[in-house]
Amino acid sequence: MAEHSTLDYFRYRIRRDTSGTLAWFGANWREHRWFKYGTILVGLGLAGLIAAWALLARDLPDVETLLEYETPLPTVVRGGDGEIVHSYARERRVQLQYADFPVQLVEAYLAAEDRTFFSHGGVDLTGTANAVFDYASKMGSGERAVGGSTITQQVAKNLLLSDEYSVTRKLKEMILARRIEDALTKREILELYLNEIPLGRRSFGVQAAARAYFDKDVGDLDLNEMAFLAILPKAPERYGRERFRDMAIERRNFVLDQMVANDFITASAASAAKAKDLGLVEQRVERSADAGYFLEEVRRQLIEKFGETAEDGANSVYAGGLWVRTSLDTELQDAARDALRAQLLSYQGNRGFSGPVATLNPDNGDLIGQLRSSNISVNYEDWRVGVVMEGGSSPMIAFTDGETHSLLGAPNSLNSGDVVAAVEASGGYRLRAVPEVSGAFLAQNPQTGRILAMQGGFDSRLGSFNRATQALRQPGSTIKPFVYATGLDHGLTPASEIPDQTYCFYQGANLGEKCFRNFGGGGGGVHTMRWGLEQSRNLMTVHIAMDAGMPNVIKTFENMNIGSYEPYPAFALGAGDTTVEKMVNAYSALVNWGRINQPSVIDYVQDRRGKVIWRADNRDCTGCNMAEWDGQPMPRFGAKGRQAMDPRTAYQTVHMLEGVVTRGTAVRLRSLDMPLFGKTGTTTGPTNAWFVGGSPQIVAGMYVGFDQPRNLGGWVQGGNTAAPIFKRFVEASKDRWEGDEFIAPAGVRMVRVDRRSGKRVFDGTPSDDPKAAVIWEAFKPDTEPPRSTRQDQIAAKRNEILEQIRRGRAAQQRTVARSAPRVEPQTDFVEEQGGIY
């Protein structure tokens, strides 16, 4: 009953007070005009504020996304040894946890940006009022007012809004700041801020800035350096410049004073810090291995797999913070680069200046600025790339740093805007000729397919076109081993006798008869398959291809991933287009007993937390992750790659190709004194000079030729132009070549044969002499030459005796013709059925 009475009492009071208020409001509304209009204005104002709030807050980003926000991080690339060789970054960024930030660094930012950070709720009313007053005082002047933003508001602006300068953006910023304070802790907000704040020199976050300005990690910064970093949010692109040095020191000292005022540091510590200079380091290019073609191929593959920017996914190349392990071997890469360059420069010789490497348009404005933005440069000895400012009889050259010098001894053909290479000389700079001829080099591990080195031209800074993977060239005679391998698979052996004679065939009414000839002409007789490959005989190759069947030859090319061609004999001599990468991979399969791997430059990719998200070697290893050993043999990976050729055929081909180095067209490599195999190649013209070969551990391929194919000169051959590149490569990396012999697979019989005839012998011993009469030859079971019969020996001896008789009679006849007749003793030869004695 009492409860009911209390409820009735409150209802009565509400009705009474409400009716009294309404009566008062109604009386004033009727009697006082100012009250009526004032009420209307207040109501409109409140309605406007509510509408504006609703309008601004309606499409604001969800602050909950900050709970899962990932700082955009660059991709870090490591070489095969695990050392960092490059990073793909458009901005300098490094993500740290809150605990990684030094306390004094945090305090420096609080003193400079937001001293009440730990007490406000996202918006500092005093700072906002000052900003409003400053904005009103500068309205119409063109000056930008102070922001008055708290650290939370800056997080909202940097991560959720744009940098638009407007009242609307400021209001949105304040709304979001309040929401952020409800969603995140103060430490989480500071962590986002210190990792994301733009601080100049393309650096975002304090760790990246510490590296950019002082070449230190944040944990190694001194107090004066921390205070300097804290001044950068106000003007990140100003305080790091030399001409604003005094302004930067003044602002830094102000921050130190604020730290003292907030009891963060002592006055004496501040005085000691003020006494120090800024100590800024010069801006430097990020450390990177000189492997531009290789690294660009890695970047291309990563973008294809994961995307380029954050919009493409969480693991994008320029935002995902990937850690990439590559197959790059920096020692071999340097050797490959230097070997190819040396040969290109040697070919260039005394041909003189071959023209500019690029041309800029003077009508487009500042030539130095154009050169700077073109990123054209060269990393060779003391060469520098510059742009011709003035042509004619007194040319001037300018470089990206703004220096301008006289260009000495330059041809009159130079024009303003030509980009050239030059070296410093007495009184100015002299031109250097970047070789017009180009080429490519690629080295691979034959057992795994991992590409160890890649050089796609003279210098990737002069152009990104990668001739090792993108240039389609005719391989010439380097394709012959796969023709011979097809012959081995279709009944021939290395000792089979092949005619070295003209081969003609009818191509139809329209094309008529086609005849093939050897390089340099000549030919005749019948020789072993081994000799034909060692001496690179075109006619023997065509005979083998036609006997084995051109469709079968083409199928071999396809199985080895060289290319897909029509079954015409010209393709057996290398008329089809392919790349250095494909040829090296095919030769690697020969070394790998016919098992071909996919060429790879990336071993595996980890996300920012270290989880492997992709790997090249995807073989399964059953039992490798057992909790406990089960006592059985150690689990092992299955075979890698695809079996594309009979292992025995592959070894037989490699064994013959060792003879190419020992006594064939690549004999100049014999002086390296290690087991090597390989094949030279020269295309019609000649337009391309090739060599592909190597050891059981490293296989390399290279070519030299003009980008727009034209005659290299009649003297050019693969043996004298491409093989020297390989020789320089090996000599520069001799410690990496183990000198192991090529190992034969099961099912290969090593038999002693006569090197010239291919016949089996029993009374000779193979030696290291490259021209030894007796050698070891590789045969498949039941294909080795049969044991010589007694009749074979008798016939051979009979022929030898008859030849001696013929020579003796010829000599006797010449003697008789010159002098008086005289009686000569007769020589008797006894021939018996059982042999010649």
Side-chain angles (χ1 to χ4, degrees):
M1 189 69 178
E3 180 181 347
H4 183 70
S5 298
T6 302
L7 193 59
D8 288 343
Y9 171 75
F10 279 112
R11 287 174 179 169
Y12 165 75
R13 289 293 304 270
I14 291 171
R15 285 196 300 270
R16 187 191 70 180
D17 293 345
T18 302
S19 62
T21 302
L22 290 173
W24 174 86
F25 186 85
N28 281 284
W29 181 271
R30 291 189 300 271
E31 297 173 7
H32 301 290
R33 182 178 297 176
W34 60 266
F35 181 84
K36 181 177 182 178
Y37 292 147
T39 300
I40 293 173
L41 289 175
V42 171
L44 291 174
L46 289 173
L49 287 175
I50 293 171
W53 181 275
L55 186 64
L56 290 172
R58 180 182 58 182
D59 297 325
L60 287 180
D62 185 2
V63 298
E64 295 293 328
T65 58
L66 296 180
L67 294 172
E68 299 178 357
Y69 177 76
E70 299 278 17
T71 298
L73 295 176
T75 289
V76 178
V77 182
R78 297 183 184 274
D81 58 0
E83 292 295 319
I84 294 176
V85 295
H86 191 64
S87 67
Y88 303 117
R90 295 182 177 131
E91 301 165 345
R92 292 187 176 97
R93 290 181 181 269
V94 180
Q95 185 177 16
L96 299 181
Q97 304 297 318
Y98 182 81
D100 299 324
F101 300 118
V103 174
Q104 283 192 337
L105 180 62
V106 175
E107 292 172 342
Y109 274 92
L110 294 178
E113 293 294 314
D114 192 356
R115 62 184 179 85
T116 63
F117 173 75
F118 282 101
S119 60
H120 64 62
V123 178
D124 182 0
L125 296 179
T126 303
T128 301
N130 290 336
V132 171
F133 178 78
D134 190 60
Y135 180 80
S137 65
K138 292 179 178 177
M139 187 177 295
S141 67
E143 294 184 55
R144 186 161 183 156
V146 297
S149 296
T150 63
I151 284 177
T152 312
Q153 287 176 263
Q154 292 182 57
V155 169
K157 180 187 71 173
N158 292 332
L159 300 184
L160 300 176
L161 298 172
S162 67
D163 196 27
E164 176 192 359
Y165 179 62
S166 68
V167 175
T168 301
R169 195 267 297 166
K170 180 62 68 174
L171 292 172
K172 290 181 178 180
E173 183 184 292
M174 295 169 68
I175 296 171
L176 286 173
R178 293 291 300 173
R179 295 180 179 179
I180 290 173
E181 291 280 346
D182 291 335
L184 305 177
T185 66
K186 290 288 187 180
R187 285 193 170 194
E188 289 172 335
I189 295 170
L190 270 176
E191 182 178 306
L192 282 173
Y193 175 76
L194 294 174
N195 278 323
E196 291 294 328
I197 187 72
L199 298 173
R201 293 194 178 184
R202 295 192 304 112
S203 59
F204 288 73
V206 292
Q207 169 62 19
R211 276 289 176 188
Y213 289 99
F214 301 109
D215 198 23
K216 293 181 179 181
D217 294 321
V218 289
D220 300 325
L221 292 173
D222 296 328
L223 177 59
N224 64 299
E225 295 166 338
M226 295 179 186
F228 172 82
L229 293 184
I231 75 174
L232 292 174
K234 295 295 184 187
E237 298 299 337
R238 176 185 297 176
Y239 291 133
R241 300 179 184 275
E242 180 61 28
R243 67 176 180 270
F244 298 113
R245 178 176 171 277
D246 293 339
M247 187 185 300
I249 291 176
E250 181 182 351
R251 178 67 182 171
R252 179 201 67 180
N253 293 346
F254 168 77
V255 171
L256 291 169
D257 290 337
Q258 290 298 107
M259 293 180 74
V260 174
N262 286 277
D263 295 327
F264 293 149
I265 59 174
T266 64
S268 59
S271 297
K274 289 179 183 179
K276 296 183 179 180
D277 196 8
L278 290 180
L280 307 183
V281 299
E282 292 184 4
Q283 294 194 54
R284 293 180 297 178
V285 177
E286 295 294 326
R287 182 175 58 124
S288 177
D290 190 9
Y293 294 104
F294 187 103
L295 295 171
E296 176 58 23
E297 179 65 17
V298 171
R299 189 185 77 96
R300 185 190 64 78
Q301 292 188 19
L302 288 173
I303 289 176
E304 186 176 323
K305 288 179 174 69
F306 302 109
E308 185 172 0
T309 62
E311 289 74 20
D312 299 319
N315 296 315
S316 64
V317 173
Y318 287 98
L322 302 178
W323 290 84
V324 181
R325 185 66 168 262
T326 70
S327 55
L328 177 66
D329 187 310
T330 52
E331 180 184 353
L332 295 181
Q333 175 63 39
D334 289 346
R337 176 202 63 209
D338 294 344
L340 180 62
R341 284 179 175 176
Q343 188 61 31
L344 297 182
L345 289 167
S346 175
Y347 179 88
Q348 182 72 20
N350 296 321
R351 288 177 171 81
F353 182 66
S354 55
V357 298
T359 301
L360 305 177
N361 189 349
D363 296 336
N364 292 336
D366 179 22
L367 285 173
I368 297 177
Q370 288 188 58
L371 178 63
R372 200 176 288 128
S373 61
S374 71
N375 293 320
I376 299 174
S377 62
V378 65
N379 182 28
Y380 178 73
E381 295 184 348
D382 55 351
W383 291 18
R384 297 179 68 185
V385 165
V387 59
V388 177
M389 302 297 289
E390 299 177 17
S393 58
S394 301
M396 301 292 292
I397 187 172
F399 300 102
T400 54
D401 58 6
E403 292 183 11
T404 303
H405 300 274
S406 297
L407 194 55
L408 309 175
N412 293 332
S413 59
L414 281 182
N415 298 308
S416 177
D418 286 344
V419 179
V420 297
V423 295
E424 189 172 5
S426 178
Y429 275 76
R430 289 192 178 277
L431 281 177
R432 284 294 178 264
V434 175
E436 186 181 9
V437 71
S438 195
F441 185 107
L442 188 143
Q444 185 180 44
N445 181 316
Q447 277 72 46
T448 63
R450 299 171 70 241
I451 294 174
L452 307 174
M454 180 190 297
Q455 188 70 15
F458 189 82
D459 196 314
S460 62
R461 299 163 188 82
L462 297 173
S464 61
F465 182 65
N466 189 343
R467 296 160 186 84
T469 60
Q470 295 175 296
L472 293 172
R473 314 292 294 202
Q474 290 183 342
S477 294
T478 57
I479 209 167
K480 289 178 180 177
F482 304 98
V483 178
Y484 280 65
T486 307
L488 293 172
D489 276 338
H490 288 79
L492 297 177
T493 75
S496 295
E497 293 187 324
I498 311 296
D500 184 27
Q501 298 163 4
T502 300
Y503 188 94
C504 298
F505 73 101
Y506 185 66
Q507 302 179 98
N510 293 330
L511 299 177
E513 189 176 57
K514 168 72 175 179
C515 292
F516 292 90
R517 63 182 180 84
N518 286 317
F519 180 84
V526 177
H527 304 278
T528 64
M529 177 185 271
R530 166 179 285 279
W531 185 86
L533 187 55
E534 290 178 354
Q535 304 303 318
S536 194
R537 306 299 284 181
N538 289 347
L539 294 176
M540 295 178 69
T541 303
V542 173
H543 276 282
I544 292 171
M546 299 305 285
D547 289 346
M550 274 307 300
N552 294 321
V553 173
I554 297 302
K555 185 177 180 180
T556 299
F557 295 165
E558 292 175 350
N559 284 342
M560 305 305 288
N561 290 342
I562 294 172
S564 181
Y565 314 115
E566 295 296 325
Y568 300 138
F571 291 114
L573 300 179
D577 289 334
T578 188
T579 66
V580 174
E581 180 185 49
K582 290 180 178 180
M583 290 304 298
V584 171
N585 199 51
Y587 273 69
S588 292
L590 293 177
V591 176
N592 199 30
W593 292 352
R595 185 170 286 274
I596 193 166
N597 294 301
Q598 183 68 26
S600 65
V601 292
I602 302 172
D603 292 342
Y604 57 85
V605 181
Q606 297 167 281
D607 65 15
R608 64 175 68 211
R609 292 176 179 83
K611 178 183 177 182
V612 175
I613 58 177
W614 185 89
R615 61 175 180 158
D617 188 351
N618 55 11
R619 289 175 296 169
D620 191 22
C621 184
T622 304
C624 284
N625 294 322
M626 288 188 295
E628 296 182 3
W629 180 46
D630 59 2
Q632 299 301 311
M634 180 182 295
R636 299 188 182 278
F637 286 106
K640 192 173 187 293
R642 170 178 60 86
Q643 194 69 49
M645 181 182 288
D646 185 327
R648 301 167 301 174
T649 299
Y651 177 76
Q652 287 178 297
T653 306
V654 169
H655 192 56
M656 289 190 289
L657 289 173
E658 287 186 85
V660 175
V661 175
T662 303
R663 54 189 161 264
T665 57
V667 69
R668 69 175 59 229
L669 302 179
R670 191 172 70 201
S671 61
L672 292 172
D673 194 26
M674 65 175 67
L676 295 172
F677 85 118
K679 184 71 184 72
T680 59
T682 311
T683 60
T684 302
T687 57
N688 301 288
W690 284 76
F691 176 80
V692 187
S695 73
Q697 292 80 34
I698 302 173
V699 174
M702 60 231 67
Y703 85 88
V704 173
F706 292 101
D707 286 342
Q708 298 298 323
R710 67 174 191 263
N711 197 311
L712 288 166
W715 58 274
V716 170
Q717 296 181 32
N720 60 27
T721 302
I725 301 174
F726 182 80
K727 187 173 184 180
R728 290 190 182 97
F729 173 67
V730 175
E731 289 172 341
S733 57
K734 201 68 177 285
D735 60 316
R736 304 297 302 280
W737 299 78
E738 300 175 11
D740 293 341
E741 298 282 350
F742 294 92
I743 299 175
V748 170
R749 292 175 58 86
M750 302 304 295
V751 176
R752 288 179 294 178
V753 300
D754 180 84
R755 179 173 62 84
R756 293 185 178 276
S757 68
K759 292 185 178 296
R760 191 170 183 175
V761 298
F762 296 91
D763 55 353
T765 301
S767 68
D768 294 333
D769 181 4
K771 295 188 177 181
V774 179
I775 62 171
W776 290 110
E777 193 59 272
F779 295 92
K780 297 171 186 174
D782 300 326
T783 66
E784 58 267 32
R787 178 186 294 271
S788 298
T789 65
R790 197 68 171 163
Q791 292 297 328
D792 291 334
Q793 296 177 9
I794 292 172
K797 194 65 176 177
R798 180 189 297 114
N799 291 335
E800 180 182 344
I801 292 173
L802 291 175
E803 180 63 25
Q804 290 178 351
I805 292 173
R806 281 193 292 269
R807 288 198 299 269
R809 287 177 176 174
Q812 184 179 19
Q813 291 173 358
R814 288 194 296 272
T815 302
V816 170
R818 290 194 300 266
S819 61
R822 59 188 180 90
V823 178
E824 291 285 343
Q826 291 287 329
T827 304
D828 295 329
F829 293 89
V830 180
E831 182 176 309
E832 298 184 0
Q833 182 64 32
I836 298 176
Y837 298 92

